[in-house]
Amino acid sequence: MKKIIIGNWKLNLDHLEAIQLLQKLNYSLEVDIEDNIDIVLAPSHTSLRSLQTIVDADKLKIKISSQDVSAYQSGAFTGEVSASQLCKLNIGYSIIGHSERRTLFNESDEIVNLKVHNSIDNKIVPIICFGESEELRNNNEYLPHIINQVNSSVKGIRKDKVEEIIFAYEPIWAIGTGKVASTEDAIEVLSAVKEEISSKPYYDQDKIRFIYGGSVSPTNATELLNSKIIDGALVGGASLDTEKFVQIIKSIKL
Ligand code: PGA
């Protein structure tokens, strides 16, 4: 399975800074890396058009993702950005259900599911995030919680409509904390999710990737990313630093 590294820039960088960072990253990557690893950047909505225009005009291999998408298609939903609007911009991916959205913006499993549907209907690859709190982990209740999140997120998704799905395990206690999950912990969860998904009619082994996110850095990337079970990483903080991000990408043994 081709590995994928996604940089989640969160609420950082204006569109001019985002353009600079895209260009810096592009100059830092060699052709064989770009051919063998999918590299995706998720800037703020305000930078999407600028970055996608550069990617299209210069035929860059880097791909652009939104950090969210509306659960609605159109109408009286002030402030929302729809999947069809993103699709018109050629945006190929959208992060959905990030724990920051679930906890800070009260995003429910039902909302996440609507967003997944809207993305798939508009040929946008959903990067579906799920993961447990520290409390659930300490109480050894994380697996049922995660399986429930995953099942809810893909409810009603038909296999023939799926171009690709990315499932991202992001334990909440590992996000932005410097406390990375061990490779064994990530493998345990991703294997359980894979098993669950493989029993579903929407599953197509060649189109689904299972990745890890949460304090991924150059120090821990080699072990995580060279595991056969982990198909890539969702990188927050370290993706804003080109040197660190490139080191993470290069830690994948081609
Ligand atoms: P982090 O963020 O790498 O800064 O922990 C990951 C994420 O939130 O996607």
Side-chain angles (χ1 to χ4, degrees), residues 6-10 95 98-100 129 168 170-172 174-179 212-217 233-239 248:
I6 303 160
N8 176 9
W9 289 352
K10 307 194 180 184
I95 297 173
H98 190 282
S99 65
E100 284 153 16
C129 301
E170 292 215 311
I172 298 172
I175 296 177
T177 58
K179 235 164 93 180
Y212 168 79
S215 294
V216 175
S217 72
L234 182 49
V235 185
S239 69
I248 291 171

